[in-house]
Amino acid sequence: MDKQELYEVAFNIINHKKLRRFGTAGHVACALETYKGNIFTGICIDLPCSIGLCAEQSAIAEMLKNNDTAIRRIIAVFEDGSILPPCGRCREFIAQIDEKNIQTHIVLPEMKEVLLQDLLPESWDKKWN
Ligand SMILES: [Zn+2]
C-alpha cells in the first residue's frame, strides 16, 4: 500500500466524537502498514486532566492485539485532512515496540516521508541495542 492509500485509510475513519466533560475522540486517525502487509488503524482520545492517547498508540495496540510488531509505514491525519507528524512520545513508542521500527517510514505533511531514525537521531538506549 502506498502512502496515498494509507492516507485515505486514516482519513476515512476520522469521526470526531464529543465525550463527557470536554472529552473528545476521533479527530485524529492513524493508519499503519506492517511488514507482514497488515493494515491497522486507531483514533486519538483526549480527556480532561491530560488523560488520553494518540491515534498512533491506539493503532499500535490494535497491531499488537493481532501479534504484529514491525511497522513499514505510518501516518496520522487530522480531521481537516492535514497530516500530523508523530509527537515525541509516539516516536519513542514506535521505536520501542520492535527493533525494526527505527526504519519505519513516517509520512509527514505534504506527503514527505522520512525514516523514524531521522526523527530520533540520538537514541537513549543505544547502549542496550
Ligand atoms: Zn503522539
Side-chain angles (χ1 to χ4, degrees):
M1 181 172 279
D2 68 25
K3 56 189 175 183
Q4 183 63 42
E5 292 169 319
L6 204 58
Y7 173 91
E8 289 166 18
V9 169
F11 186 76
N12 287 333
I13 65 163
I14 292 171
N15 181 11
H16 194 166
K17 300 163 184 53
K18 300 286 186 192
L19 304 172
R20 182 173 175 263
R21 286 195 186 172
F22 314 114
T24 185
H27 49 289
V28 178
C30 172
L32 67 83
E33 179 182 24
T34 69
Y35 283 96
K36 291 180 181 175
N38 295 318
I39 307 295
F40 298 106
T41 61
I43 60 168
C44 69
I45 304 171
D46 287 327
L47 302 174
C49 302
S50 301
I51 300 171
L53 56 94
C54 296
E56 292 94 328
Q57 293 164 30
S58 66
I60 288 167
E62 187 69 14
M63 173 182 73
L64 294 176
K65 189 182 83 182
N66 287 279
N67 301 312
D68 211 345
T69 58
I71 304 168
R72 182 194 312 271
R73 178 176 285 124
I74 189 166
I75 187 170
V77 181
F78 187 59
E79 62 186 337
D80 68 1
S82 60
I83 297 169
L84 299 176
C87 74
R89 186 167 188 265
C90 284
R91 295 175 194 194
E92 190 66 38
F93 195 85
I94 294 164
Q96 292 193 30
I97 296 295
D98 188 298
E99 61 193 15
K100 291 181 193 153
N101 289 347
I102 201 69
Q103 298 293 320
T104 295
H105 291 249
I106 309 291
V107 184
L108 298 173
E110 294 162 20
M111 290 293 183
K112 181 180 173 190
E113 200 168 50
V114 297
L115 298 179
L116 181 58
Q117 67 186 10
D118 297 326
L119 300 178
L120 286 175
E122 296 294 333
S123 174
W124 64 273
D125 64 348
K126 280 183 183 165
K127 178 178 176 179
W128 294 281
N129 286 342

